[in-house]
């Protein structure tokens, strides 16, 4: 991160360094003596949660702003979907069959990144959750095209590391799911949802709710794999029950290939946010 200082005051880096070279005394060894911003134990206290939330929002925002990234293409999807060459290791036959969407995700990201490169990788930058499966395929496709991509990882109880294809300078890590979700959508020009589980469903419905309620501009919202999505979610039953409106079924489109997705995004007519909710 760059730091163009305009202030005449002594900078925090210098004081942090100076404070680490003071004489070793009972007073300087005390936790109370540590500079607040350099005291990790202090920053992890429950009372500092509002500060940590702000920091998690601010750090990726500053880095992306410094790189002049103005728009992203969001790729959500399952961590368990294998690449086709590894589908024989899949836990179920359905997962093995879904491996085709690893290749479609990779190809979609490649095509989108070829487009992104025309803007110097400032527009239409692929962003994934930074993990395996569909996420890996997205970052991998961007690398295939020789461009950059973003990975928004989250700390989980089990071992978790960014996949090897995320651009290192755009590889972020989060403690708070809520802030991570904000970064997924703050620059979103399109949202693509590949087959997945609980995490993918959460991301799907939260994003769709923001568009449904007018809290977010309408953007291309593409579900890869009509057969999968119609089998796991009975959208028509929701509309028949009246818990959503018929018009809500028009907020997304099905696609099966990367090329279909590119054509829909390229021919998308921008629409303003909803100012009413149909059916209410």
């Amino acid at each position: 991160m760059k730091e163009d200082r305009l202030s005449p005051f002594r900078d925090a880096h210098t004081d942090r360094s100076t404070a680490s070279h003071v004489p070793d005394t009972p007073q300087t060894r005390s936790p109370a003596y540590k500079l607040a911003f350099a005291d990790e134990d202090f920053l992890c206290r429950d009372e500092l949660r509002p500060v940590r939330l702000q920091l998690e929002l601010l750090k990726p925002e500053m880095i992306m702003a410094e790189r002049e990234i103005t728009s992203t293409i969001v790729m959500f999807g399952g961590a368990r979907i294998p690449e086709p060459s590894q589908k024989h290791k899949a836990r179920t036959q359905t997962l093995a069959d879904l491996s085709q969407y690893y290749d479609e995700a990779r190809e979609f990201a490649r095509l989108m990144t070829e487009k992104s490169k025309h803007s110097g990788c400032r527009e239409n930058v692929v962003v994934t959750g930074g993990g395996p499966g569909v996420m890996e395929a997205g970052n991998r496709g961007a690398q295939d095209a020789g461009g950059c991509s973003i990975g928004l990882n989250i700390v989980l109880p089990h071992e978790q590391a960014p996949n090897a294809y995320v651009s290192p300078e755009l590889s972020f890590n989060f403690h708070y799911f809520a802030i991570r979700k904000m970064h997924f959508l703050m620059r979103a020009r399109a949202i693509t949802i590949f087959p997945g589980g609980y995490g993918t469903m959460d991301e799907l419905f939260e994003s769709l709710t923001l568009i449904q309620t007018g809290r977010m501009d309408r953007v291309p919202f593409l579900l890869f794999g009509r057969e999968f999505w119609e089998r796991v979610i009975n959208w028509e039953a929701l509309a028949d029950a009246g818990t959503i409106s018929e018009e809500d079924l028009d907020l997304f489109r099905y696609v099966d290939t990367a090329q279909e997705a590119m054509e829909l995004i390229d021919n998308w007519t921008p629409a303003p946010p909803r100012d009413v909710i149909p059916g209410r």
Side-chain angles (χ1 to χ4, degrees), residues 92-223:
T92 67
Q93 184 58 49
T94 297
L95 275 176
D97 294 340
L98 289 173
S99 66
Q100 63 177 304
Y101 290 108
Y102 182 103
D103 277 351
E104 292 299 337
R106 183 176 176 181
E107 175 65 3
F108 172 73
R110 186 191 68 79
L111 292 171
M112 188 55 71
T113 304
E114 291 287 358
K115 181 177 181 179
S116 175
K117 287 167 62 179
H118 294 303
S119 68
C121 286
R122 294 182 177 90
E123 299 177 5
N124 301 306
V125 180
V126 166
V127 56
T128 79
V134 166
M135 296 173 279
E136 175 187 285
N139 298 117
R140 188 175 180 179
Q143 188 179 95
D144 291 341
C148 68
S149 67
I150 302 165
L152 305 181
N153 277 79
I154 186 81
V155 178
L156 299 174
H158 54 275
E159 186 177 350
Q160 168 84 346
N163 68 65
Y165 305 101
V166 180
S167 297
E169 67 278 11
L170 294 171
S171 182
F172 302 104
N173 200 18
F174 291 84
H175 173 63
Y176 296 107
F177 269 97
I179 302 299
R180 178 176 178 255
K181 289 175 180 177
M182 286 189 67
H183 279 294
F184 268 122
L185 300 180
M186 284 168 65
R187 291 172 167 81
R189 183 167 288 174
I191 299 170
T192 61
I193 316 283
F194 292 79
Y198 283 165
T200 302
M201 298 289 184
D202 176 49
E203 292 156 345
L204 184 162
F205 282 112
E206 185 146 16
S207 305
L208 201 54
T209 298
L210 288 170
I211 295 173
Q212 180 204 38
T213 56
R215 295 300 304 269
M216 179 178 174
D217 288 346
R218 286 200 61 177
V219 297
F221 199 103
L222 310 179
L223 304 186

Side-chain angles (χ1 to χ4, degrees), residues 54-105:
Q54 184 177 12
L55 290 173
E56 284 211 343
L57 182 63
L58 190 59
K59 181 181 177 181
E61 173 64 21
M62 289 175 64
I63 291 174
M64 284 191 266
E66 286 165 2
R67 292 183 64 88
E68 299 180 355
I69 294 174
T70 59
S71 62
T72 56
I73 304 297
V74 181
M75 295 181 67
F76 293 133
R80 304 184 189 195
I81 293 178
E83 63 174 300
S85 68
Q86 299 298 313
K87 68 180 183 179
H88 61 283
K89 298 180 181 179
R91 188 171 60 86
T92 67
Q93 184 58 49
T94 297
L95 275 176
D97 294 340
L98 289 173
S99 66
Q100 63 177 304
Y101 290 108
Y102 182 103
D103 277 351
E104 292 299 337

Side-chain angles (χ1 to χ4, degrees), residues 6 42 67 130 151 242 268:
L6 302 176
F42 174 68
R67 292 183 64 88
W268 176 261

Side-chain angles (χ1 to χ4, degrees), residues 3 5 10-20 31-44 48 51-52 55:
E3 185 175 346
R5 285 183 56 77
R10 184 178 169 94
D11 67 274
H13 291 285
T14 301
D15 268 5
R16 184 177 62 180
S17 177
T18 300
S20 68
Y33 184 78
K34 290 183 179 180
L35 289 166
F37 61 82
D39 186 343
E40 292 186 2
D41 290 335
F42 174 68
L43 288 174
C44 287
L48 271 291
V51 175
R52 294 195 299 273
L55 290 173

